[in-house]
Amino acid sequence: MNKTQKTTERRNKIRRRISSTIRGTAERPRLCVYKSNANTYLQIIDDAAGATLAASKAPIGVDNAKKAGEDIAKLAQEKGITKVVFDRSGYKYHGIIKAAADGARSGGLQF
């Protein structure tokens, strides 16, 4: 098992533990962040209905992640969503993940 596999396995273990406690509802949906090598994805999910309410995508980078956070906040407010539960998907809360959260907060979302 190489280092990349170990890191991915560790993140998935953390992600499963987090998702066992965090659930999005219609009143307070879940803001989920995912990073790939090329893009940062943000989704607002209602787990009770199993539906994605809003989504945003931006190229990788801290500045782009902050803009994606502001975009997702704008989309959420158009749908009447002001409060969310933040799901960092097993990533450490720094860099891109922190920038996306700060962007969403500056856009008006509360979590």
Side-chain angles (χ1 to χ4, degrees):
M1 185 178 288
N2 63 28
K3 185 176 179 180
T4 304
Q5 290 171 329
K6 287 180 183 178
T7 303
T8 304
E9 185 177 314
R10 177 186 169 279
R11 189 183 72 79
N12 284 333
K13 183 178 177 183
I14 293 168
R15 186 177 53 80
R16 282 192 302 271
R17 189 176 359 160
I18 290 169
S19 67
S20 70
T21 58
I22 294 177
R23 291 284 176 223
T25 63
E27 299 83 32
R28 194 165 176 160
R30 176 170 55 107
L31 173 61
C32 183
V33 180
Y34 173 72
K35 298 187 304 184
S36 71
N37 287 335
N39 297 306
T40 304
Y41 301 90
L42 284 84
Q43 289 184 329
I44 295 181
I45 303 167
D46 178 3
D47 290 317
T52 299
L53 306 174
S56 179
K57 173 181 144 183
I60 203 78
V62 174
D63 295 333
N64 294 331
K66 185 166 183 154
K67 289 176 189 171
E70 292 168 355
D71 290 343
I72 197 86
K74 182 180 175 186
L75 291 171
Q77 288 186 348
E78 288 174 1
K79 297 192 178 214
I81 300 167
T82 57
K83 293 185 178 184
V84 295
V85 178
F86 188 67
D87 180 5
R88 59 187 173 88
S89 299
Y91 298 110
K92 291 181 181 178
Y93 187 81
H94 75 286
I96 290 173
I97 304 300
K98 185 176 187 294
D102 290 343
R105 280 192 192 103
S106 68
L109 285 180
Q110 297 175 357
F111 45 97

